[in-house]
Amino acid sequence: MDNIFFAMVAFAFVGAVTPGPVNMLATSTALNHGKRAAAAHVMGASVAYALIVYCSGSMMHTLLRQLPEVATAMKVGGSALLLTMAYQIYAAPVASVQTSQVTRSGWWIGSLTQLLNPKAWIVAMSGVSLYVAGQDNEWLSLMVFTCISLIVCVMGIGLWAILGRGLAKYLENSTRQRQFNQVMAAMLGASVIIIW
């Protein structure tokens, strides 16, 4: 269980801290509208992501109960998808991190942004297929993974809100952004390797 726990944390951290619309909105909200609005955004997005993880796990649990042989295929498919994502993060072109044109957010906008974010659903389903499906106690694994996802999401999105302009300025340097992406890609790849 220790290896799976570490893999869950690493996986959740990479998903939560890599640049994306939810994180950019957190940065913008903190910069332009203060701590309260940013905290509401962080909590809304984090709770929404935990809900996505839980729903994904519940749906997969039902499916796997009906078709247990699908578990291995899902684990292989989820691993392939995450390794592909790791490569894409590693090789991603350097882009400017812009936050000034994003509007104010809060609990509802943070939640909706996360719920409508296809990456959130894909990452959640991939994580569930790796760290929940096929475990001895799938419900316990799902609850642990959901709790880890919530806590790490609060920390990851919160980091973008707290660091605000400083992190955006740091990642404007193309070398630093490339190094950041490479470290995140390596962590994502390691989270897949650990599970096997």
Side-chain angles (χ1 to χ4, degrees):
M1 185 68 175
D2 289 342
N3 285 343
I4 292 173
F5 182 82
F6 175 75
M8 286 179 179
V9 171
F11 174 86
F13 178 75
V14 171
V17 81
T18 50
V22 172
N23 290 338
M24 295 298 102
L25 197 51
T27 301
S28 174
T29 300
L31 282 172
N32 299 311
H33 304 288
K35 294 177 195 173
R36 261 188 204 180
H41 170 84
V42 168
M43 290 309 298
S46 299
V47 169
Y49 184 68
L51 181 64
I52 291 169
V53 170
Y54 181 78
C55 289
S56 298
S58 296
M59 289 184 291
M60 283 190 190
H61 179 73
T62 302
L63 175 66
L64 293 175
R65 205 168 357 135
Q66 303 298 323
L67 304 166
E69 62 276 0
V70 174
T72 302
M74 288 177 64
K75 191 171 180 178
V76 170
S79 295
L81 178 65
L82 289 175
L83 290 173
T84 301
M85 287 175 63
Y87 173 75
Q88 290 173 342
I89 291 170
Y90 184 87
V94 176
S96 175
V97 179
Q98 297 293 329
T99 60
S100 59
Q101 297 177 354
V102 183
T103 58
R104 179 182 180 147
S105 182
W107 174 271
W108 294 111
I109 298 296
S111 299
L112 287 174
T113 303
Q114 193 74 285
L115 289 171
L116 297 175
N117 184 359
K119 178 190 163 196
W121 286 92
I122 291 168
V123 169
M125 286 192 264
S126 299
V128 166
S129 71
L130 284 175
Y131 309 119
V132 175
Q135 298 300 319
D136 291 336
N137 188 337
E138 289 183 357
W139 282 111
L140 177 61
S141 295
L142 177 59
M143 297 315 312
V144 169
F145 189 49
T146 301
C147 290
I148 288 171
S149 296
L150 174 63
I151 293 165
V152 172
C153 200
V154 168
M155 292 168 38
I157 299 171
L159 179 67
W160 282 89
I162 290 167
L163 296 180
R165 186 172 223 153
L167 185 58
K169 283 187 177 291
Y170 178 81
L171 291 180
E172 282 177 1
N173 178 304
S174 60
T175 302
R176 289 180 185 149
Q177 190 176 105
R178 191 170 290 111
Q179 290 169 345
F180 179 81
N181 285 345
Q182 290 170 349
V183 169
M184 293 299 106
M187 288 181 69
L188 185 57
S191 77
V192 173
I193 292 167
I194 287 171
I195 200 66
W196 289 96

